[in-house]
Structure formats: structure tokens, C-alpha cells
Amino acid sequence: MSKKSQYELEREANIARNRALFEDLGLKDAIKDLGVSTGPKKSTAKPVQPRGQKRDKPDAENQPRRQSRRLMGKLQGDPNETPEQRVQREKEEEERREAERLEAEEKARIAKRPRHDTLNFITLAEENNPQELSKLTDLMESIPQSSALSQQGGTDAYDFEDNKQHQKETNELRRKVENLKVISRAKVTTNRIYCAAYHPEKSKDLIFFGDKHGQLGIWDARAPPDEEDDDGDISPENREGGKYWRFQLHWPATPKSSISCIKMDPLDSHNVYTSSYDCTIRSLSFASGSSQEVYSTDDGALICSFDITATGQQMWIAHGDGSVNHVDLRENKSKTRRYGLSEAKIGSISINPTYNQYLLTASNSRFLKVWDARKLATIPVELLGDDGDDGALEFTSSVVADYMQSEQAKGLFRGEFKHNKSASSAYWNPNGRAIVSTSYDDNLRIWDVQKSSLKGAGEFANFKPFCHIKHNCQTGKWLTILRAQWSPNPDAYPHFTVGNMNHGLDIYSVKGELITQLADPTR
């Protein structure tokens, strides 16, 4: 066999490179012409495919044609006009165009402001037609308005002295959740999800999601798909499940309006509250079919978190500047009280479900702290000087610190714990006895607060976590912060769920024992 020349070797190398290129580009016919075998296809899980939006195709014949402005001026102008008249006419046209440009800019500027008005569903649901909105209305009407009654357990619930009883409850809980699997999935919001809330109605899997651009997604996860949905080109395993609606609740639709927190009204299942980085909190009512503002601030302090008392009448709001606001929803929204409780961002605030006077805050200062709201209300207005005459009272951190040194402030501060790094969240459990916190020091911590401490008047005794769980919380810039959330069901053995960096969920008992890890790589 003769030895191949350099030219032949280069030619074969070029053919091999072309084959690889055609295969990468998916040009199967070209590969066949070259005699290349494509081989078996690897099966990979595809992301869920959003339902296609049906849009009317524009009629090309009826579309306006581009025309030369110079030729239009010649055709529209008076052939007998003098040069002076032409200059005057062109000047007036230029002034008119400038006025139109300024008017358009003003409308765009107004549109970018936070929307403080009461808005109806038609305005909010910009992508949904009236028929779709009627389906959402019918869904909410099928849910009793009282199904959101505050769910809280007594302080003695599941408080066993015998560890064997705790182990029995843990095993029973593990048996209930070990066979959980993904049955539905959908791209409910357009952008990254910042927060979520599960509706308390037991007959439905109704979940609310807030995204990075101020959009609220409502997902009925078990709803049967509409027959008219045109998903014939999508394989069944990659189709969306359930039914969802999208409301542009906060404005503008940019990261400046990210929805930071969602809470269900504890007394009205047809009402949901959302907070946003646009410095507003809105109430979305399915009974009235509208959304209205319940709180706003113009000082640029981002709203990071909020919570509502069991009575549904009072709200506590945490801000990025380290302050918290108390809002009585029965009063005008300008009649608020603001307290500086930290020098750094407070990312989480939680109200004790059983003892509503106890506020739990977690901040970038690394501290988790417990406050008695009754004592905050006793800070004398005289300490403000002339700053509190307009109705809204603001007690700065220095005023609060000075007041804490007085005898009247005894019992205001109940306890604190310093994490090794920023404390990203902390929440009371439904019976008001346990606390779980997450931190950037990659630990989950659990507290067991004694009932005697809750009923006492001084600082909590031995306010230290009894359990540390190693957990990767390094979400970085592009992932939403991990927050451990207690199950709101007071009839179930206390447990909490936290996301992990392996695209799964970890469930732990109130004693810190791992119940199960949920993950489905095929979905």
C-alpha cells in the first residue's frame, strides 16, 4: 500500500473536521451524504416549555409603508409658498414634533413611578384576556373566604418530655413525606422567583410567587389543562402542568420592583399582601377584583420583609436601612411608627403566632434579636422633638438606644444571638416556641424558647440555639437567598423545609433531625 501524500492527509483531516461541524450543527442530511453515522441520541431532561401565547399575525397589506419625510414635505407643501413661508412651516413642524417627544417622555416617566392608585384586574393582568380572568375569579369563589383563619398551635403542642415520643412523631412524619414526587411544574412567572406563599385552602394546591420584576404569579398546580391549549409540538413530559395567571402588581417591571415578600391575610382567604423594592405594600383582593396600596415610603428604604398579626389588623415591616415600621391597617397609612432597631439591613421579621407582642428580627449585623412590641409603643413622642408633628413618627436608632437605657424600657429587649456572618432569615414556628435561622456562615440553627421565658418580663434565659446544622447557604449573586420555612400546619409535628444547592429540598424536624431530602433530577 502506497504511502499517502501530505495533501491526502490534509484532505482527510478537513473531511473529519467538516463531519464534526455538520454533526454539531445538526445537519443530518449533510452527515448522511458524508456517510457519517449519527449514533444513538442521548436522552436529556428538557426544561418545562411555557404555554405559547396566541397572537394575531399582522396583516402585511394593511401595514403602513415607510415614506420619505422630505418627499412628504414636498407633496404636502404649497407649491406657491415662498422660501420664508417654507422656513416658518418647517419650524412649526419641528416645534410640534418636539412637543410630542416631550409629552411621550413625560408619559414614560410617569409610567415608571410606583403605581399608588387602586388598580383592577384588567390593568394588572396585561397578558390575560377577560375569559382567563373569569376562570381565576371562579377558582377563588370556590374557596371559602374563611379558610385562611390564622393557623397556630398551643405552646404545649408536641411538647413531649419523653424523647421516644419525639422519635415516634418523627418516624410518622418521615413515612408521610418519603414518597413525595413531582406531579406538576410550570414557568409561572417571567423572571426569577424571589418569594412564594402557599394558600391555606386544603382542597387546592394554590401557590403565589413573586418575581424579580414585580410580577405576581398565581398557580393552580393540579388544575386540568385547557383543551384549547396548543401544546401539540411539546412532548408530554415537558409540558406545563396546572394553570397559572400573571399580574404585573408592582411597577416598573424592572429589578427596582422585585417582590420581596408575600403573606396571606390571616382572616380573609381572598386577600393577599405583597411587598416590593418599589417601597410599597399592596393588597390584592379577589372579592373586589382590584389591588390597592396599604403602605408606601418615599425615602428609598427597601422593604425586605413583613409579617401580619393573627388578628389581621397590624403589620410589621423590615427595611434595608435597619428600621422597622408598625402599621395599623385600620388607620390611615400615614399614621405609622418607625423604629431604628439595627445599623444594618434587616432582611427578615417574624411575629410570634401565639404571643403577638414578640418580634423576631435577623439582620446583616449578624444579630438575631427578639423585641417586645408593647414596649416599643411606649417610647415617648417627646424624644422626637419637632419631628413627629405630621402623623408619621420616626424613632431613630439613637433614640431607641437611649430609651433602652431608661427604667421604662425594661422588657423591651428580650434576647439576641450573634451569628458568625450575616443572618439572612429567622422565623417562629406555629406554636411560638421554636425558632430557626439561616446564615451565610453555612449553618442552620434551632432555638427552643421556654414557656416561662415567653410569659416573663425580662430577657429570655439561656437564649442560645440547641442545634447547629451544617448547610451550604452560599447562593451568590444569581440565586435567591435560602430561607428555612416552618410548616404552617399546627396539626403536624413541627418541621421546616429549606432549599439546597443541589436543586432539592431538605426537611428537618423541630429537633434538628433530617426527615428526608427531596430531589428529582429527571424533572
Side-chain angles (χ1 to χ4, degrees), residues 292-295 312-315 326-337 391-393:
Q292 64 178 357
E293 183 180 277
V294 298
Y295 171 81
Q313 298 172 344
Q314 300 180 64
M315 181 182 292
H326 174 248
V327 178
D328 191 325
L329 298 176
R330 297 164 296 183
E331 297 181 347
N332 186 284
K333 56 187 178 184
S334 65
K335 303 291 184 180
T336 65
R337 294 171 70 94
L393 305 178

Side-chain angles (χ1 to χ4, degrees), residues 13 33 46 56 59 84 108 196 240 251 304 327 337 385 421 425 464 488 503:
D33 292 342
K46 294 183 178 180
D56 296 332
D59 188 356
E84 292 78 8
E240 292 188 321
W251 199 260
C304 303
V327 178
R337 294 171 70 94
K421 291 186 178 180
S425 70
K464 294 181 180 179
H503 300 191

Side-chain angles (χ1 to χ4, degrees), residues 208-431:
F208 294 75
F209 300 94
D211 84 349
K212 184 178 180 179
H213 286 184
Q215 189 178 80
L216 178 71
I218 305 172
W219 187 33
D220 186 2
R222 292 180 180 267
D226 293 337
E227 295 181 359
E228 62 268 19
D229 284 350
D230 186 15
D231 290 335
D233 57 339
I234 302 175
S235 59
E237 64 272 15
N238 293 323
R239 291 178 185 172
E240 292 188 321
K243 188 165 184 59
Y244 59 80
W245 299 263
R246 293 171 176 169
F247 288 164
Q248 189 61 49
L249 205 56
H250 295 269
W251 199 260
T254 69
K256 295 180 180 179
S257 298
S258 303
I259 296 181
S260 56
C261 190
I262 301 174
K263 293 288 182 181
M264 307 304 303
D265 189 321
L267 300 181
D268 184 359
S269 66
H270 293 180
N271 195 42
V272 60
Y273 294 97
T274 59
S275 64
S276 169
Y277 288 171
D278 68 2
C279 300
T280 67
I281 294 180
R282 300 189 69 89
S283 168
L284 183 69
S285 172
F286 294 96
S288 64
S290 64
S291 168
Q292 64 178 357
E293 183 180 277
V294 298
Y295 171 81
S296 67
T297 178
D298 297 326
D299 57 11
L302 298 183
I303 300 175
C304 303
S305 175
F306 72 96
D307 204 358
I308 308 171
T309 59
T311 62
Q313 298 172 344
Q314 300 180 64
M315 181 182 292
W316 285 90
I317 306 165
H319 294 273
D321 63 353
S323 64
V324 299
N325 267 78
H326 174 248
V327 178
D328 191 325
L329 298 176
R330 297 164 296 183
E331 297 181 347
N332 186 284
K333 56 187 178 184
S334 65
K335 303 291 184 180
T336 65
R337 294 171 70 94
R338 190 163 182 168
Y339 306 94
L341 300 185
S342 175
E343 296 298 332
K345 167 187 171 182
I346 296 180
S348 170
I349 188 166
S350 177
I351 300 173
N352 190 300
T354 307
Y355 298 93
N356 284 183
Q357 67 269 27
Y358 293 131
L359 303 177
L360 177 64
T361 60
S363 72
N364 285 5
S365 66
R366 305 185 180 186
F367 279 100
L368 175 151
K369 296 183 179 182
V370 181
W371 309 83
D372 191 330
R374 298 171 300 183
K375 291 292 183 177
L376 285 174
T378 63
I379 300 180
V381 179
E382 291 76 14
L383 296 177
L384 299 178
D386 297 329
D387 297 332
D389 297 334
D390 59 350
L393 305 178
E394 182 172 359
F395 301 89
T396 63
S397 57
S398 60
V399 171
V400 174
D402 291 342
Y403 179 69
M404 288 177 62
Q405 304 302 318
S406 66
E407 184 66 24
Q408 294 84 356
K410 184 178 180 181
L412 165 61
F413 184 69
R414 291 306 183 94
E416 69 177 10
F417 178 85
K418 188 175 183 180
H419 297 69
N420 297 325
K421 291 186 178 180
S422 297
S424 51
S425 70
Y427 300 102
W428 295 99
N429 76 333
N431 69 8

Side-chain angles (χ1 to χ4, degrees), residues 19-20 26 50 88 95 100 107 110 115 120 122 173 206 214 237 253 264 335 337 400 421 425 444 465:
R19 286 175 179 170
Q88 180 64 25
E95 290 176 351
E100 291 176 352
K107 288 181 178 179
I110 293 175
R115 301 190 289 187
N120 59 37
I122 300 296
L173 179 61
L206 189 61
E237 64 272 15
M264 307 304 303
K335 303 291 184 180
R337 294 171 70 94
V400 174
K421 291 186 178 180
S425 70
L444 309 178

Side-chain angles (χ1 to χ4, degrees), residues 31 71 77 81 93 145 190 253 325 391 401 439 448 450 452 462 500:
I31 294 173
L71 293 178
E81 70 178 354
E93 290 178 354
Q145 198 163 3
T190 306
N325 267 78
S439 170
D448 180 15
Q450 298 300 315
S452 58
N462 301 320
N500 61 50

Side-chain angles (χ1 to χ4, degrees), residues 150-158 352-355 429-433 487-492 494:
S150 181
Q151 300 185 22
Q152 63 185 50
T155 53
D156 295 328
Y158 298 100
N352 190 300
T354 307
Y355 298 93
N429 76 333
N431 69 8
R433 282 281 306 277
S487 167
N489 185 3
D491 300 325

